Amino acid sequence: MAKGVLVDITRCMGCKACQVACKQWNDLPSSNPEFKDGLTSPPEMDGYNYTTVFIEVVEDKKNNDYTIRSAKRQCMHCEHPACASACFAKALQRDPKTGAVVYYPHLCVGCRYCMLACPFDIPKYEWDKQFPLVAKCQFCFDPKGKYDRLGYGLKPACVDTCPTGALKFGERDELLKEAWQRINSDPKYIKHVMGEKEAGGTAWLYISDVPFTTFGFRPNLGTQPLPEYSHNFLKWTPIIAVGWGTLLTVLYHYTKRRQKVASESNKDVHM
Amino acid sequence: MSANKGLLKEIAEYKWRFTMTTTRKILLMLAGLGVACMIFRLATGLGMATNLNDKWPWGLWIGLDVLTGVALAGGGYGTAIIVHVLHRGKYHPIARSAMLTSLLGYLLVMAGLFMDIGQWFNFWRPFVSWGHTSVLFEVFWCVSCYTTVQVLEFGEILTEKVGTKYHNAFKKALPVLMIVGIVFPTLHQSSLGALYLIMVDKLYPLWWSPYLGLFFLISSFFVGPAMICVETGLAGRAFKHEVPIHVLRGLVRISGVFMVLYLALKIYDLSNRGVFNLVFKGNLEGNMFVLELLLGVIIPIIIAFSSMSSTRKGLITFGVLVSGGLILNRMNVVFTGMSASLGGWYFPSIMEWAVSIGLISIGVLAYCFIAENFNILDHDEHHHKATA
Ligand code: SF4
Ligand code: SF4
């Protein structure tokens, strides 16, 4: 069964330990700190940051008060990943056992269609390199072994490090049940699990007491798996290719013959 | 081997012509600048040469060189249908120049694509690693195959002058090539639009549509005659070659019929999805959408079906409006329609412009060179006269 992580935004204290653990485990280079609103650093994910803890001040209109909330973002590891279906070289593939969506750099052409296709804007690019690669969270799964944790039955590095239990790793189905239990037993939660149905469902699930858009989730994410849109188009290709080709051939011979007949009676010739 | 030698000798001994004019000198300069920038880009990577970033992974090269370039080069397959499949002899005078534009267009598209991919030495990957769930996969295969087919089609023209002993073989293969050469563009003109289907929550609803592929296909078809009008307008001046007005007018009318169809489908689609009100919202997206339809479709329809299309001026206006409208449409899909959801900032760098302009200059120069050395514009006199 596919794995998942439940992120409980109410339990996150914004310590960024997960962010550091990710960098360390994946041998990612450090960079000069750069802040957004003086709180979030780095301000965005990029080619060398697979995860970022976004820290936001949220206005509580009812009590005329402000609260600080933080949430870690990374690849959602979609059950029907748009990135993988968009890749024309199979450089992104979903591992059916773990549910991890993994990048195979040697297959990548660098077209960056995956970046545009992802509904969560996750894949990033190493813009400064001569031969850049796509970069994103791999769920600490590495079929080659070097950066692997999931394959050895370990939790992802970030989850392992989280001191507050804001991140919980497990079977996706069970986490989903637990998410709804938490939501139903405490009225502060928004009655929604981000990732349960979005874009066909994701391995990472978020619950929160502040709107998910606070952390950059698109408000209009549909529930239809995105690969279906392409499939509904591509399934016509063979039919059109054969049908159109046949029609053209028939027309070619028909009009040619008609022309010949016409040219025998008058001199309407070409070629 | 000896046949090969003979061919090379034939090419070396052929009297090639290339007249130097001021325009061509400027074009040569621009082309040189473009090539220099291309080498720099390939050597240093995308980050140094372009303003692309994580929010805007696709920019000018994909938007203008590829998406727009392919559509404008679509004139080739449109005329091929009319002339070679439907055997409408009266359109024969423009068949070869339309085909040549198309061939050059595709070669430039390939060059533009090559510039844009990060791991360019890996460009052949999708031929062996089949990501067949991707619309881009279809685009990639069709563009590659179609360009090959067009090079072979051009072989028929080439062997009239050099390598004449192969001429008959090419001539025999032509009908098959023609039909294959219509099927491929039909498929990928639509798949270029369908690339954006997966961005359902990103592309502004005025442009995102389940019929996006069909819209791209129809518009690539009706822009063909418009391009021919512009091209023959220019070539007429440069090569003193005038295509009879009634020939162009006939084409423009065919184009007009498809534009009416396009407009009707657009209106049906917008109201079907319940987003018609967005058109007149007065925001950037709405206004750009109105501009695109008004200048690129509605006014040209009026020109096509009125007496205006019986003058050269009217025909050229039609050509400029329709091609301009199509460019605007593709730009709107790539930039305007995406900007709200992508955020951030992108404007092409000087080098991106230099490469795009350089590629276009190379295309124009190549057109001039080929038109001067082969039977492109005046080949009619060598055959029977087309019905006047
Ligand atoms: S979140 Fe984006 S990058 Fe991650 S699996 Fe889904 S589509 Fe792919
Ligand atoms: S950039 Fe690489 S991984 Fe992404 S779609 Fe293109 S080839 Fe696939």
Side-chain angles (χ1 to χ4, degrees), chain A residues 86-89 91-92 103 108-114 134:
Chain A
C87 179
F88 70 149
L92 286 157
Y103 177 58
C108 178
V109 181
C111 68
R112 311 183 296 287
Y113 187 32
C114 52
V134 169

Side-chain angles (χ1 to χ4, degrees), chain A residues 44-47 81-91 93 103 105-121 123-133 218 220-222 226-227 229-234 236-238 240-242 244-259 267-271, chain B residues 41-48 50 52-59 62 77 81 83-89 92 116-126 129-138 140 156 171 174-175 178-179 182-183 186-187 190-192 194-202 208 213-214 338 341-342 379 383-387:
Chain A
E44 308 273 351
M45 282 168 263
D46 62 28
C83 61
S85 93
C87 179
F88 70 149
K90 277 190 163 299
Q93 292 174 31
Y103 177 58
H106 68 287
L107 296 175
C108 178
V109 181
C111 68
R112 311 183 296 287
Y113 187 32
C114 52
M115 301 174 69
L116 281 166
C118 170
F120 300 99
D121 303 313
K124 303 293 177 207
Y125 209 52
E126 300 173 339
W127 292 104
D128 55 331
K129 293 245 176 93
Q130 185 186 11
F131 297 118
L133 292 171
R218 289 181 193 285
N220 55 349
L221 285 166
L226 294 177
Y229 289 97
S230 311
H231 178 76
N232 285 340
F233 170 82
L234 288 173
W236 293 101
T237 301
I240 293 177
V242 174
W244 186 215
T246 318
L247 181 68
L248 286 171
T249 314
V250 171
L251 277 176
Y252 173 83
H253 288 293
Y254 170 72
T255 52
K256 190 165 185 176
R257 192 165 150 74
R258 234 181 52 164
Q259 194 185 39
K267 288 204 171 61
D268 186 3
V269 207
H270 89 278
M271 287 273 286
Chain B
R41 174 263 167 274
L42 291 179
T44 61
L46 286 161
M48 289 266 264
T50 71
L52 295 170
N53 54 59
D54 280 333
K55 290 223 157 86
W56 287 98
W58 281 7
I62 294 281
Y77 85 103
I81 298 180
V83 176
H84 295 285
V85 175
L86 301 179
H87 291 101
R88 292 298 174 87
H92 215 250
D116 203 76
I117 56 176
Q119 307 272 336
W120 46 264
F121 50 83
N122 235 358
F123 74 93
W124 49 271
R125 252 327 149 177
S129 181
W130 283 23
H132 57 82
T133 53
S134 172
V135 181
L136 193 59
F137 184 71
E138 180 168 313
F140 177 79
E156 194 247 348
K171 220 172 164 173
L174 206 55
M178 283 291 172
I179 287 175
I182 293 167
V183 173
T186 312
L187 291 176
S190 56
S191 45
L192 280 173
L195 281 178
Y196 282 80
L197 283 177
I198 205 166
M199 299 170 214
V200 54
D201 51 342
K202 294 189 183 177
W208 191 92
L214 198 54
M338 296 290 282
S341 60
L342 295 188
H379 78 291
H383 299 262
H384 303 274
K385 263 256 170 285
T387 41

Side-chain angles (χ1 to χ4, degrees), chain B residues 43-245:
Chain B
T44 61
L46 286 161
M48 289 266 264
T50 71
N51 282 344
L52 295 170
N53 54 59
D54 280 333
K55 290 223 157 86
W56 287 98
W58 281 7
L60 185 71
W61 292 344
I62 294 281
L64 185 72
D65 300 13
V66 178
L67 255 58
T68 312
V70 168
L72 293 183
Y77 85 103
T79 15
I81 298 180
I82 296 167
V83 176
H84 295 285
V85 175
L86 301 179
H87 291 101
R88 292 298 174 87
K90 96 173 187 192
Y91 298 116
H92 215 250
I94 46 96
R96 280 192 169 186
S97 64
M99 213 193 89
L100 177 61
T101 323
S102 178
L103 169 65
L104 293 173
Y106 273 84
L107 290 174
L108 295 182
V109 167
M110 302 275 267
L113 261 178
F114 190 69
M115 284 301 117
D116 203 76
I117 56 176
Q119 307 272 336
W120 46 264
F121 50 83
N122 235 358
F123 74 93
W124 49 271
R125 252 327 149 177
F127 283 125
V128 290
S129 181
W130 283 23
H132 57 82
T133 53
S134 172
V135 181
L136 193 59
F137 184 71
E138 180 168 313
V139 173
F140 177 79
W141 271 89
C142 289
V143 172
S144 317
C145 294
Y146 184 43
T147 311
T148 317
V149 169
Q150 289 198 92
V151 170
L152 291 176
E153 282 178 5
F154 184 70
E156 194 247 348
I157 299 174
L158 188 81
T159 50
E160 282 174 4
K161 295 281 163 117
V162 288
T164 36
K165 55 176 160 289
Y166 303 108
H167 187 59
N168 277 336
F170 275 110
K171 220 172 164 173
K172 277 221 186 82
L174 206 55
V176 181
L177 287 177
M178 283 291 172
I179 287 175
V180 179
I182 293 167
V183 173
F184 278 127
T186 312
L187 291 176
H188 79 74
Q189 291 288 0
S190 56
S191 45
L192 280 173
L195 281 178
Y196 282 80
L197 283 177
I198 205 166
M199 299 170 214
V200 54
D201 51 342
K202 294 189 183 177
L203 183 59
Y204 197 75
L206 282 178
W207 288 286
W208 191 92
S209 150
Y211 303 121
L212 200 52
L214 198 54
F215 285 136
F216 266 55
L217 178 65
I218 304 178
S219 54
S220 79
F221 187 76
F222 70 60
V223 80
M227 276 300 278
I228 292 167
C229 288
V230 175
E231 189 189 321
T232 51
L234 291 174
R237 223 173 278 160
F239 297 102
K240 312 225 167 1
H241 164 85
E242 301 249 292
V243 177
I245 285 191

Side-chain angles (χ1 to χ4, degrees), chain A residues 74-84 92 101 114 117-123 136-137 202 226:
Chain A
Q74 74 298 307
C75 169
M76 300 288 282
H77 297 280
C78 304
E79 307 211 285
H80 306 276
C83 61
L92 286 157
V101 178
C114 52
C118 170
F120 300 99
D121 303 313
I122 295 302
K136 74 166 195 70
C137 154
T202 63
L226 294 177

